Amino acid sequence: MSDNPADYFLTRRQWLNRFGMGLGALSLTSLVNPQHLIADPATKPVNPLAPKPPMFPGKAKAVIHIFAQGAPSHIDTWDPKPELTRMDGRAIDGGIAMGSPFTFTPRGKSGIPVSEVFAKLGDHVDDMAIIRSMHTDIPAHEVATVFMNTGSLRIVKPSMGSWVVYGLGTENQNLPGFIALRNGGLPSGGSTNYGAGFLPGVFQGTSINMQSPTVQQMIQNIQNQYVMRGEQRRQIDLVRQLDDLQSRNLQRDAELETRLQSYEIAFKMQTEATDAFDLNKEPADQRAAYGNTPTGKQLLVARRLVERGVRFVQVWHDGWDHHQDLHDKLAKKAHEIDQPLAALLADLKQRGMLDSTLVVWGGEFGRKPTKDRNGYDTPGRDHNSRGFSTWLAGGGIKGGVIHGATDQFGAEAVKDPVDVHDLHATILASLGMDHKKLTYRFNGRDFRLTDVAGNVITPIIA
């Protein structure tokens, strides 16, 4: 009996080749060194997740992207409009003016005005670059959400997190390089928001439902109840060996390679992920600072993941779609994130991690300065793609600055407008990557996150 696994796993073509070409192979060995025909057993496949150097020095080593899905009203959070308040209830272009029901107060040494709904987050305004001139193409949640995350309106393309891990790899080989933390169901636009598109699947985001009470439920099947770790390791090694045997004779199968990489990461995660997601290992005062809430747990886990070398962490915070009762609903939603996000910024700074961690907050578009006609006696605001706000902090970003402006009512970006591709280019630049050179060839064309557009917002780069 042969001890060579290749003797038991032959395609029909391989069988014919072995027996039909055998005499020719014998003749060949008399002409060349037989050792050159044997694969080097020490040769290992290249790990696509291995850390890679940036294209140029970048201060950020990791990203925490807090996605406020639903489109927060910039007029009521980061972009005060006194003239709109003065015109409240009067007819303006587009409808009846709705002044913000919230008070704005100058905060920090920079004196940037911040809405009362962010009472604690306002303490960190000197670390933020607030972009008041964002704009996007289509004010529809699903389309705009996917566009903000992938830079594409038409075809399915890789998400921003996938591009980042493709370009830089990740520091921790026992955890995925890109992790998306959500509270419940899929976001608007589905898993495309953290998918790898046409990039190899190993770069896609690992989506984790933080509503589950235990790590084993958050990451299903993280532990094998039937096979011990040693046996699991042998099984994975066998599958890898069989794949290598096939690859020597046939073209490598990208889908199979992705699945094997997934097996490998899942095996390694059994210990590392259990530790990273176990918040009981945090001191009680630290847990209290973030708050014992779903959002607080998300952000504390985000810090723990970045601390362990995960390259890109996305935190989904939905529920910002306020067509009615904006006064109460926006205040409630802001309250959910105010303390936890303030705690995250303070925690990162205290640990010396804010300089190397880029924190981004924002939604898919903004809201109109007029009353939504469906709001009745408790009005809200309708969608607005022509102007909204996003802020960045840490990771080589200037703090205490405002970039761009909307008009007197907040309806449209009029000064230094910033589109989605510009934002993506800036995030990549903070990580030391040139958005024009980070490309992947697919279907005969070099694609990039920023398509054929995008300019780095240099005034906010430190």
Side-chain angles (χ1 to χ4, degrees):
M1 296 289 290
S2 171
D3 293 329
N4 184 359
D7 292 334
Y8 300 99
F9 298 94
L10 297 175
T11 66
R12 184 174 63 178
R13 181 174 297 176
Q14 289 170 310
W15 186 90
L16 291 171
N17 180 70
R18 174 171 295 189
F19 291 96
M21 303 294 290
L23 293 176
L26 287 173
S27 300
L28 180 63
T29 59
S30 66
L31 301 175
V32 300
N33 186 344
Q35 293 299 320
H36 294 166
L37 302 177
I38 302 174
D40 182 0
T43 301
K44 295 181 180 180
V46 176
N47 178 8
L49 294 178
K52 305 179 185 72
M55 298 176 183
F56 54 85
K59 289 191 175 181
K61 306 299 181 186
V63 177
I64 297 176
H65 180 205
I66 300 101
F67 197 95
Q69 206 279 317
S73 170
H74 55 296
I75 297 167
D76 301 290
T77 51
W78 303 104
D79 191 6
K81 293 298 172 186
E83 181 62 17
L84 183 65
T85 300
R86 190 183 70 81
M87 293 291 291
D88 184 55
R90 303 183 191 179
I92 60 173
D93 184 27
I96 303 300
M98 179 181 172
S100 177
F102 305 110
T103 301
F104 283 75
T105 305
R107 303 291 296 272
K109 293 180 180 179
S110 58
I112 293 176
V114 180
S115 171
E116 63 182 284
V117 301
F118 288 134
K120 296 182 178 180
L121 198 52
D123 291 338
H124 300 273
V125 73
D126 288 338
D127 293 315
M128 300 177 185
I130 300 171
I131 303 172
R132 288 181 173 173
S133 54
M134 290 293 304
H135 63 94
T136 188
D137 290 358
I138 300 174
H141 290 297
E142 181 172 337
V143 175
T145 298
V146 172
F147 186 40
M148 182 61 75
N149 282 287
T150 69
S152 175
L153 285 167
R154 296 171 181 84
I155 66 172
V156 175
K157 290 185 180 178
S159 59
M160 174 168 51
S162 295
W163 278 110
V164 169
V165 179
Y166 163 67
L168 291 176
T170 185
E171 297 291 338
N172 190 333
Q173 301 304 298
N174 296 328
L175 288 169
F178 173 19
I179 295 178
L181 306 175
R182 53 189 175 82
N183 258 326
L186 293 178
S188 182
S191 59
T192 302
N193 290 291
Y194 36 80
F198 46 69
L199 288 176
V202 70
F203 299 116
Q204 70 184 9
T206 297
S207 175
I208 294 176
N209 182 4
M210 293 291 294
Q211 273 194 347
S212 302
T214 66
V215 177
Q216 285 72 24
Q217 290 172 304
M218 288 180 198
I219 312 172
Q220 295 184 2
N221 304 314
I222 187 66
Q223 299 287 354
N224 191 321
Q225 301 177 8
Y226 307 103
V227 180
M228 300 299 290
R229 283 180 58 82
E231 182 60 27
Q232 291 178 55
R233 179 73 271 170
R234 287 190 290 273
Q235 289 179 353
I236 294 173
D237 289 344
L238 174 60
V239 173
R240 172 64 68 184
Q241 183 181 9
L242 296 176
D243 177 51
D244 289 341
L245 287 171
Q246 173 176 292
S247 299
R248 292 175 193 174
N249 300 291
L250 304 172
Q251 185 177 2
R252 282 191 176 272
D253 186 327
E255 186 174 342
L256 179 58
E257 289 294 315
T258 295
R259 185 165 296 183
L260 291 176
Q261 288 284 348
S262 299
Y263 291 160
E264 193 69 46
I265 294 173
F267 174 75
K268 294 176 180 178
M269 282 176 65
Q270 292 181 69
T271 300
E272 191 89 16
T274 301
D275 176 72
F277 284 83
D278 187 359
L279 298 184
N280 290 321
K281 296 187 176 182
E282 287 286 328
D285 60 340
Q286 192 72 284
R287 299 198 304 270
Y290 281 83
N292 186 27
T293 64
T295 306
K297 292 176 181 177
Q298 280 178 293
L299 291 173
L300 183 49
V301 166
R303 189 269 290 164
R304 289 173 64 83
L305 291 172
V306 168
E307 193 175 33
R308 285 160 174 75
V310 175
R311 186 72 70 185
F312 197 101
V313 180
Q314 190 169 51
V315 176
W316 286 87
H317 185 228
D318 58 10
W320 287 91
D321 190 18
H322 301 135
H323 291 272
Q324 293 180 323
D325 196 11
L326 177 135
H327 179 273
D328 291 340
K329 290 181 178 179
L330 185 142
K332 180 180 178 181
K333 186 54 57 175
H335 179 72
E336 290 178 5
I337 194 79
D338 185 37
Q339 176 180 332
L341 190 45
L344 173 68
L345 294 175
D347 195 8
L348 291 172
K349 181 175 282 191
Q350 186 272 328
R351 293 170 184 270
M353 294 173 59
L354 187 58
D355 287 342
S356 61
T357 305
L358 177 65
V359 181
V360 183
W361 181 93
E364 64 268 37
F365 46 74
R367 316 299 292 199
K368 289 183 177 180
T370 54
K371 296 181 180 180
D372 189 316
R373 62 180 180 271
N374 296 316
Y376 305 108
D377 294 333
T378 55
R381 302 186 190 278
D382 204 352
H383 303 175
N384 178 21
S385 63
R386 297 184 298 166
F388 63 105
S389 298
T390 293
W391 61 257
L392 302 86
I397 297 295
K398 286 182 183 177
V401 299
I402 294 171
H403 181 81
T406 51
D407 61 33
Q408 61 180 343
F409 297 139
E412 183 174 0
V414 294
K415 179 184 176 183
D416 298 325
V418 174
D419 68 19
V420 173
H421 296 307
D422 298 332
L423 179 63
H424 288 169
T426 305
I427 291 171
L428 292 179
S430 75
L431 291 159
M433 289 188 287
D434 185 337
H435 71 104
K436 295 180 180 178
K437 296 180 180 178
L438 182 65
T439 62
Y440 186 85
R441 180 158 287 267
F442 174 69
N443 279 351
R445 175 192 162 188
D446 288 335
F447 284 87
R448 67 189 207 211
L449 172 61
T450 54
D451 196 36
V452 293
N455 294 292
V456 176
I457 314 167
T458 53
I460 71 170
I461 301 290

